[in-house]
Amino acid sequence: MEGGKPNLALVYQAVQALYHDPDPTGKERASVWLGELQRSMYAWEISDQLLQLKQDVESCYFAAQTMKMKIQTSFFELPPETHNALRDSLLTHIQNLKDLSPIIVTQLALAIADLALQMASWKGCVHTLIEKYNNDISSMPFLIEILTVLPEEVHSRSLRIGANRRTEIIEDLAYYSSTVVTLLTSCVEKTGNDEKMLIKVFRCLGSWFNLGVLDSNFMASNQLLMVLFQVLQRDETPTNLHEAASDCVCSALYAIENVDTHLPLALQLFQGVLTLETAYHMAVAREDLDKVLNYCRIFTELCETFLETTVRSPGQGMGDLRTLELLLICAGHPQYEVVEISFNFWYRLGEHLYKINDAALHTIFRPYIQRLLHCLARHCQLDPDHEGIPEDTDDFGEFRMRVSDLVKDVIFLVGSMECFSQLYSTLKEGNPSWEVTEAVLFIMAAIAKSVDPENNPTLSEVLQQVVLLPETVHMAVRFTSIELVGEMSEVVDRNPRFLDPVLNYLMKGLREKPLASAAAKAIHNICSVCRDHMAQHFQGLLDIARALDSFALSTEAAVGLLKGTALVLARLPLEKIAECLSDLCAVQVMALKKLLSEESTNGKSADPTVWLDRLAVIFRHTNPIVENGQTHPCQKVIQEIWPVLSETLNTHQADNRIVERCCRCLRFAVRCVGKGSASLLQPLVTQMVSVYQVYPHSCFLYLGSILVDEYGMEDGCRQGLLDMLQALCMPTFQLLEQQNGLRNHPDTVDDLFRLATRFVQRSPVTLLSSSIIVHIIQCAIAATSLDHRDANCSVMKFVRDLIHTGVANDHEEDFELRKQLIGQAMEQHAQQLVTQLMHSCCFCLPPYTLPDVAEVLWEVMLFNRPTFCRWLENALKGLPKETSGGAVTVTHKQLTDFHKQVTSAEECKQVCWAIREFTRLFR
């Protein structure tokens, strides 16, 4: 903080403003100022004083939270000789403030836990805490709170204590775990049925189960397990206690996932959970949904834990199929939220049985899946008084989508065809109400694609009947029947006689507002699957496309219809394509022209993105087969449209969203005609470069990468493309060199390195011989530490591909020159690159980026293994060897082992494994 340490009165004022100032700007100012205080060195002393003075809840909460944050993120600021004093002071504070507010106790408990994990000199912290407080019943709540958060914090993302220290802590906690359980047991004995204390005990026990350090033999015969199940069996257990007990049982079940190594405890939990069936029925009778959901969570966790056992020995011992009965009982509950809890289990069961692929096993589990499907179909029914089409964005709509996904995953056990036929016969033979009909059609739509369409009379009959549905049936039934028809496009493709009636049926839907988008989606599906049959209907599609805005379509549905039309257009004879494409684009081009002329007359700017997106989808999917030497039929159309796109781009050059859509449209236009867009190259590049100097939208870099991909191999274009790259790089580097430039502009980083990578792939020598390459490499090295999925991936790919051009002898005549140029670049930059990569993967990057880092190191090593050994050794020397809490981060042996694993690796994945293991030491 500038201006030295602030006085306490000022801090109080700010905290009061943060919580009580009626003016939002006052709150905001206080928040910013307090945030700065928290980041400063003075925060330690000021929070300590605030906690000592204990003036009010707000100031103590702020101080406790600040302490926790400082210990988590800035522990290195404190000299080691102050660690003991900090610990003693925190323990005094938690003792003094234990009755002020539970949230303050939690923050202080977290601070103490995080300190214990980082402070290597505090040995056996669990033992010292229990010794100090276990005889004072009034200290129990905060002692248990510390013992609850301690195991939770071991794997905390915000503490980078490293694998060595973490292993040491886990061994230490395992050693004292039975002491903790004994403390919890005696606590229950002393306080009896005190609800608050029991909740704390169960939360703490669950936390130790989650860490996986409890001795399962000791736990199997422990009194606490009995108490847990007694609480869950009792009808009068209060809601909060019931939830805490349920969480604890779920944690215990999760902890014994590997059943065979925990048999005594597994048996106790298995038998304990089976006794809860009566309690479940009691909760249903009392309409206590909270408890019903808790029981269902427990039953699901039981099935998840014993999944392997159940599949290995169904019906025997702990493979008892009563576990599945419990889930099916829950599936029978009228509230769909109950059955939804078990979805992940059914999905995993299906996956397991699919992999094993044993007919006898399928026969055992088939009846359970049939009953499940029956329940799901019932849960998917809309309310009888529902009006209009089914909602797909509310909770129930999302539930139905998840049902659809689950049905697709497990249908193989029942057989798609059998299930489809059964569902159809319920409609054909009964006279079900509209909501039952709609739900059955919904499930049929989920499985239609997995039914074999070859010579299938049932499918043909369903299709025939659906298109005959009268317009008087409920709107939701019509909506879902349209979705079903869209899913049956394979059947239409095999039986072209259905094409006319199906299209007529869908056209009716297209003209009605509620059904229009579903009908458009179905027509899109049929165009995609029946492209050849649809060619004769192209004129009809064109008529729809011309009148697109007369239908009440969502943006997505309108674009889908145009995609379907373009797919069919590409199957027309070549000589017809140009004229038809021109017709298809005309509507959008006219609309863009109209917007531009309105703008020039009244100065108001209107949004052209709808039309740009429609043009983009037409270009993207019009991909006719053009023989060598033939002129691309779309070339002329795109040349005619270019002036309008160019003017639109100029008019909206300041608006990133619109420029992005323009570039997307141009990208697909260039991709559509490939080399046929040569006449656009000069004017397009000139315009891109001139706009980019003023408005550096990253999409221009992306469009540049497309141009390099299409034209980079052409001798006559290389210099022009290099000039483009250099012109685009200047403003880009200015943007990225600002403070936090890389972090604030990840899209620019992503697109810049896509462009550079395309150059490496298409014309490496052009790039490597240029003066810009040094700056691009320097920028790449700086950007390797960027924690952004796409940007980091682009950077790593660029560096990898760059070095690879000097490694891979593809017998091109320029290989020796490439090798020499890469050699020069390596001499200049490799040490810095390797050092930065090691630092980034130890301290900045998430684990999923490590395979990319490994690939870069692998290429460097392939290029020059002996020198790489030295570069890596120097990089490792620069890494810190111990934490600020005095724990060893990495031993000399771990460093030399890692160096040896990497430098002697024979394939890239060995480098990746080595890095994964090594970076755990710093996380």
Side-chain angles (χ1 to χ4, degrees), residues 866-877:
T867 324
F868 172 74
C869 293
R870 198 174 67 243
W871 290 328
L872 183 61
E873 187 181 340
N874 292 337
L876 295 176
K877 279 180 184 161

Side-chain angles (χ1 to χ4, degrees), residues 706-758:
I706 302 291
L707 296 175
V708 172
D709 195 37
E710 290 290 345
Y711 293 101
M713 310 280 276
E714 307 285 308
D715 285 336
C717 300
R718 284 177 172 164
Q719 188 53 47
L721 290 169
L722 182 65
D723 295 343
M724 171 191 79
L725 173 69
Q726 289 178 314
L728 293 173
C729 274
M730 288 315 155
T732 305
F733 292 152
Q734 280 170 354
L735 188 69
L736 299 179
E737 280 161 10
Q738 296 167 0
Q739 193 179 2
N740 289 333
L742 293 165
R743 180 170 302 149
N744 295 341
H745 304 284
D747 293 351
T748 301
V749 175
D750 182 12
D751 292 331
L752 171 68
F753 287 101
R754 273 175 195 269
L755 170 56
T757 304
R758 288 293 191 199

